[in-house]
Amino acid sequence: MIGDLRSVTITGGLTALICLTAPQAAWAQQGQPTTGAAQAARSCEGLQGLTIEASRMALPTGGARITGARTVAASEPGKVGYCSVDGEIRPIDPKGFPIKFNVALPDDWNGKAMHLMGGGWDGFVVSGSSAVVGAEHLPTPLARGYAAFGSDSGHEYRTPDWQANDEAFENFAGNQLRKTHDAAMAIIERRYAARPRLTYATGGSGGGREALYAADRWPELYDGVIAFYPVWSAVGAFSGWIDNAQALASPGAWSNPAQQAAISRAVIDRCDGLDGLVDGLVGDTGACHVDPASLRCPEGKPPSDDCLAPAQVAGLVRAYGTERKLPFRLPNGVDRFHAYNVLNGGAQPRMGKVSPGGPITSDTNFGGANETAFGAVLSDPFVRFAVARDPSADLFSFRADGSAAIKRRMIYLARRMDVDPTMARFVAKGGKILLVHGNSDQVHSADWSDEFHDRMFKAYGPGKGRAHLRYYRVPGFGHGIGLRHGAKFDFQADMLSALEGWVERGTAPADLTATDDTPERNRRTRPLCEYPTYARYQGGAPDLAASFRCVAPETGREGSRP
């Protein structure tokens, strides 16, 4: 059965009329959608215990059931009344794991749906009441009237050995997106006696991959995507994280946390003013060229918190400053992994509290007392469980071309997990994509999003490319919201309104503004500039977007202040 799962996952375009069974009456016999709080409550409670037949879902499952349905009152200003529905999609494999999901059904539905994605290795249920990335202080899709849904992708992330189950990994790779979508659509149709007229998808990092993946594989189901710092070529990115971990594990290569912060400060000090304003943000990354040798301690001085030993400089360059070719081309055309925006954007390298070495444990994992380099935390379970399928495999001696079997597995994983950056069928149906990536991303270079943009524009030309994709690079914006790990701009912007205007009214995004949601920085604003342009200061109040203009990059200047 697991082999059958693999054979159907790459075949997009399947359309299924989903029929659900209820204890007393078929859902197809329901009339018009209910209205009013009392009717909504009755309708919500009536969902409890209902099931979705496996034969009515597009991909193989053991069927699905609703495990909980409760009415949530609009108890605060800006909140909405809704029905929160929990459910699970049963696996085919008796040893597999259910896909747990949540659907939020507003009392006053706008006729649209939002698929909310997870991130990282997933493993947590994404609530339908969640916000769009970068809009945590704005009305959520649910508050705007969307029926919104998300899942845990089919496992709970406690230990990485869930990847040893084929069905669980295939769900994580992408199958869970279609399964969750189908279950949610059936529940939405039961609640409102209608299917959504439009469906969007959004997420960040691994969730950005999922949003693009869903639209790429099943374009007939989605109309628009908002993707933040997406890991759209997962196997390419993992290859980079493997190399990062191996580089930092070399003797003397790792830098301590104080040195990691000093590296970022040195680059920002050198390149901050290239965009016309000294504000702690590197806007003109194309003109920022910092010689790694300048970070080395003066001769005769031992390494300290503000300078590096020669081996540390070499480790920094290898782990963060070098674009490297892959030993083979991946199915989506990726043939390299990109350098990080450390030496040209001021991103703070995320090397952790201790040097990488050995399998990841709870102590060296994210949040552990001895958290190690990000690349090692992510790539260790990938190598052991997803690629080698051997818990004893060693990350630090791993080579993608180490054997024919490993190469075949890497290519298979890329075929299953990765996105085609031309998005051919999504573009053909008229789909729209908003893509956002920060220059200070500590773990996934914005150059990956540059490649996504460049390859789409190469495929269709700039005119048609801009008709389907708008990409914005944001100075100081890191990987995730907030000012963690050296980020300098706490991004907030209403990207959903921009997508709605583009898809629903044909109004292409223009004059978008982002807010740095940091009180001590006066909640400064900056224009969102469409790549490859950047925001250059023109004079006036430095905290206002109106004082900047989006201009074409100037390359070749030395990294120094004007």
Side-chain angles (χ1 to χ4, degrees):
M1 272 302 210
I2 301 303
D4 292 340
L5 284 173
R6 295 176 183 174
S7 69
V8 299
T9 52
I10 304 173
T11 308
L14 297 177
T15 304
L17 177 62
I18 301 175
C19 175
L20 283 80
T21 58
Q24 298 180 1
W27 286 13
Q29 298 174 347
Q30 297 296 319
Q32 296 300 311
T34 58
T35 58
Q39 291 175 311
R42 287 195 296 272
S43 175
C44 182
E45 293 161 359
L47 295 173
Q48 178 72 42
L50 295 171
T51 62
I52 304 172
E53 295 177 352
S55 62
R56 300 300 182 178
M57 301 186 75
L59 298 181
T61 73
R65 67 187 181 94
I66 294 174
T67 58
R70 62 187 180 89
T71 300
V72 180
S75 57
E76 302 175 25
K79 303 291 185 180
V80 297
Y82 68 100
C83 176
S84 179
V85 178
D86 296 316
E88 60 180 32
I89 302 167
R90 290 184 290 269
I92 297 292
D93 182 356
K95 296 182 180 180
F97 313 105
I99 300 169
K100 296 180 181 179
F101 63 87
N102 177 259
V103 185
L105 304 166
D107 295 349
D108 295 313
W109 184 41
N110 64 9
K112 297 182 286 186
M114 177 65 77
H115 194 162
L116 297 158
M117 306 302 180
W121 287 112
D122 292 330
F124 57 94
V125 177
V126 177
S127 170
S129 62
S130 300
V132 174
V133 174
E136 284 74 12
H137 302 307
L138 297 172
T140 65
L142 173 64
R144 297 167 76 135
Y146 283 81
F149 57 94
S151 80
D152 68 354
S153 92
H155 66 274
E156 294 182 10
Y157 193 86
R158 293 194 178 98
T159 58
D161 55 2
W162 62 267
Q163 296 178 61
N165 182 273
D166 283 346
E167 187 174 6
F169 192 85
E170 294 293 332
N171 279 333
F172 168 76
N175 284 359
Q176 61 95 7
L177 300 170
R178 181 60 193 260
K179 295 174 184 180
T180 302
H181 169 278
D182 288 354
M185 289 299 118
I187 293 166
I188 290 169
E189 187 170 4
R190 164 63 176 88
R191 169 66 180 85
Y192 303 113
R195 293 176 71 85
R197 57 186 174 83
L198 293 167
T199 299
Y200 300 134
T202 187
S205 191
R209 176 193 75 89
E210 291 171 343
L212 292 169
Y213 183 104
D216 181 34
R217 300 300 174 102
W218 303 289
E220 72 280 5
L221 303 181
Y222 298 88
D223 301 282
V225 170
I226 307 171
F228 284 82
Y229 35 85
V231 186
W232 59 270
S233 186
V235 172
F238 273 111
S239 298
W241 292 326
I242 291 167
D243 188 77
N244 174 275
Q246 292 175 346
L248 293 176
S250 299
W254 181 80
S255 298
N256 67 43
Q259 291 171 320
Q260 296 167 38
I263 292 165
S264 177
R265 285 197 306 271
V267 175
I268 292 172
D269 286 347
R270 187 76 183 272
C271 299
D272 186 0
L274 292 174
D275 55 12
L277 180 68
V278 177
D279 58 356
L281 306 175
V282 178
D284 189 1
T285 56
C288 180
H289 305 287
V290 174
D291 183 356
S294 66
L295 304 171
R296 187 182 304 160
C297 297
E299 188 171 352
K301 180 183 177 181
S304 65
D305 286 350
D306 57 2
C307 68
L308 307 180
Q312 291 177 307
V313 173
L316 173 69
V317 172
R318 163 74 189 279
Y320 292 93
T322 306
E323 179 180 276
R324 295 172 66 86
K325 294 277 286 187
L326 295 172
F328 44 82
R329 185 181 294 269
L330 301 178
N332 66 350
V334 167
D335 65 355
R336 69 196 64 207
F337 55 84
H338 296 283
Y340 294 79
N341 304 120
V342 171
L343 294 174
N344 70 344
Q348 182 170 309
R350 192 167 171 185
M351 300 186 193
K353 301 173 184 177
V354 298
S355 173
I360 297 301
T361 66
S362 59
D363 184 54
T364 56
N365 208 333
F366 295 133
N370 290 299
E371 179 180 328
T372 191
F374 185 96
V377 172
L378 276 182
S379 61
D380 174 70
F382 179 75
V383 165
R384 292 192 291 133
F385 292 97
V387 182
R389 314 187 92 181
D390 175 4
S392 67
D394 177 38
L395 163 64
F396 301 100
S397 61
F398 174 83
R399 289 185 52 174
D401 58 352
S403 71
I406 290 295
K407 179 180 176 180
R408 284 195 301 271
R409 181 64 177 171
M410 292 282 280
I411 289 175
Y412 171 77
L413 292 173
R415 188 173 291 116
R416 285 294 298 114
M417 297 175 69
D418 291 355
V419 175
D420 173 9
T422 67
M423 301 287 290
R425 293 191 300 139
F426 190 62
V427 166
K429 69 142 326 170
K432 310 295 186 185
I433 302 168
L434 296 179
L435 179 57
V436 182
H437 210 135
N439 287 345
S440 292
D441 194 311
Q442 312 91 338
V443 298
H444 188 56
S445 172
D447 291 13
W448 280 106
S449 289
D450 295 357
E451 180 182 349
F452 187 94
H453 167 278
D454 293 347
R455 289 180 58 188
M456 179 176 280
F457 275 44
K458 182 179 180 180
Y460 304 114
K464 186 174 181 180
R466 289 189 75 237
H468 299 280
L469 171 68
R470 298 296 171 94
Y471 165 38
Y472 307 95
R473 255 194 182 226
V474 183
F477 183 28
H479 197 86
I481 300 304
L483 299 178
R484 298 171 296 171
H485 308 294
K488 301 294 189 294
F489 193 92
D490 188 2
F491 179 93
Q492 293 284 299
D494 188 0
M495 303 307 293
L496 180 51
S497 289
L499 183 65
E500 288 174 331
W502 200 11
V503 172
E504 298 169 31
R505 297 182 293 279
T507 304
D511 301 323
L512 302 183
T513 298
T515 298
D516 180 1
D517 193 37
T518 312
E520 55 268 30
R521 292 176 181 151
N522 301 317
R523 290 193 168 86
R524 57 185 173 176
T525 58
R526 294 290 185 270
L528 284 179
C529 294
E530 188 179 346
Y531 176 82
T533 66
Y534 72 95
R536 185 168 184 83
Y537 181 61
Q538 303 296 304
D543 291 333
L544 296 181
S547 300
F548 295 77
R549 183 165 59 91
C550 296
V551 300
E554 300 176 44
T555 58
R557 290 204 309 260
E558 287 298 319
S560 58
R561 294 179 179 175

